[in-house]
Amino acid sequence: MRQARTSRVHDGLLVTAGTVLAVAAMEGIGRSQVFGDNWPPLSQLLDVLNDPVTRPLLGRSLDATAVAAGLGLLVGTLVALAVAVLGVVVPVLRAGLDRLAAVVNAVPLIALGPLLIATVGREGSSTVIAALAVGFVMFVSITSGLDAASTAHRDVLAVLGASRTTTLLRLQLPASVPTVLDGLTQAAPAAVLGAVVGEWFGAPRGLGTLLVSTMQNFQTLLLWTAGLVAALLAMAFYGVMVALRSLLAWRFQ
């Protein structure tokens, strides 16, 4: 217990030190004008965040991206779970499903934008791309977790005459929870990235839309601020999943 507490304190100190160094570096580079006006100091970005004119715009964009990323995370996880479970229940499909997931993951997300606009529309494309960004990570995590159940436990259920479905529900799914939670910590920031990329293709609102607009209009401060907000959103998603993992993982170990 004491060792675990010491490790958490050590990790917390490292995170704090890294954050302070990153903030100091960004402020110092901006103040020194090494890159001219293209790299503003962090303090100016905070002023933009507090500006009563730009704050509502950033808030609306943040809300739209957060909703798209959250829906994408949920949809991508559920689809990955369904495909992984299908491979367990019908083993003959397992190899084909693995290859299909690899092929879908190999397609660049940005190349899917025009196709998604023609099918799901501009508003839905960000959610779909977020789900695609999440899907492969979660598929790998879930399949690995389902295979993590011990051979001895599988043999006991087989001797007792348990079906594949019973084995899945009583053994494999509970055994997969820690691995699935680890996958969610990686998938959550990917969902934010997918949502932002999806918004580049003409979404009516969102941080991705704001990034494109400010870049085209050379609004450097607002561009950096939108990027900062997107990074903070990804960190928030990651932090929520880490907290969820800490809360639930120990119950299934």
Side-chain angles (χ1 to χ4, degrees):
M1 180 68 71
R2 182 178 298 175
Q3 184 177 1
R5 185 179 303 170
T6 302
S7 177
R8 287 196 296 269
V9 172
H10 181 261
D11 292 343
L13 290 175
L14 289 178
V15 170
T16 303
T19 303
V20 171
L21 287 175
V23 170
M26 186 170 183
E27 182 71 17
I29 293 173
R31 293 286 182 184
S32 65
Q33 293 286 296
V34 174
F35 300 105
D37 294 333
N38 294 323
W39 187 304
L42 182 61
S43 56
Q44 291 186 11
L45 304 186
L46 297 179
D47 291 338
V48 176
L49 282 174
N50 290 323
D51 191 319
V53 176
T54 57
R55 187 168 53 203
L57 173 62
L58 290 167
R60 290 192 299 270
S61 301
L62 174 63
D63 290 343
T65 302
V67 170
L71 288 175
L73 180 62
L74 177 62
V75 172
T77 300
L78 291 178
V79 171
L81 177 62
V83 175
V85 167
L86 181 61
V88 171
V89 177
V90 189
V92 70
L93 298 178
R94 174 69 181 271
L97 293 174
D98 289 346
R99 293 188 181 91
L100 177 62
V103 169
V104 172
N105 182 65
V107 178
L109 294 178
I110 198 168
L112 296 174
L115 297 176
L116 292 175
I117 290 175
T119 54
V120 300
R122 296 181 184 274
E123 294 191 5
S125 60
S126 56
T127 299
V128 175
I129 292 183
L132 290 172
V134 167
F136 186 73
V137 175
M138 292 310 302
F139 177 76
V140 172
S141 299
I142 293 170
T143 52
S144 300
L146 293 176
D147 292 337
S150 69
T151 303
H153 290 159
R154 293 173 187 265
D155 292 342
V156 168
L157 288 177
V159 169
L160 295 175
S163 64
R164 289 196 185 99
T165 302
T166 301
T167 302
L168 173 69
L169 295 175
R170 298 295 181 87
L171 176 62
Q172 291 177 280
L173 284 176
S176 71
V177 170
T179 305
V180 172
L181 292 174
D182 287 338
L184 284 171
T185 62
Q186 305 300 317
V192 176
L193 175 61
V196 171
V197 170
E199 290 165 350
W200 289 357
F201 301 105
R205 66 187 63 85
L207 293 173
T209 304
L210 186 58
L211 286 170
V212 172
S213 175
T214 52
M215 178 178 62
Q216 293 174 342
N217 292 285
F218 302 99
Q219 296 173 287
T220 304
L221 280 177
L222 191 53
L223 171 65
W224 274 86
T225 306
L228 175 64
V229 172
L232 293 175
L233 178 62
M235 292 171 62
F237 268 55
Y238 175 78
V240 170
M241 291 305 152
V242 169
L244 182 65
R245 181 183 62 181
S246 300
L247 182 64
L248 298 179
W250 67 273
R251 296 176 180 270
F252 297 90
Q253 292 177 346

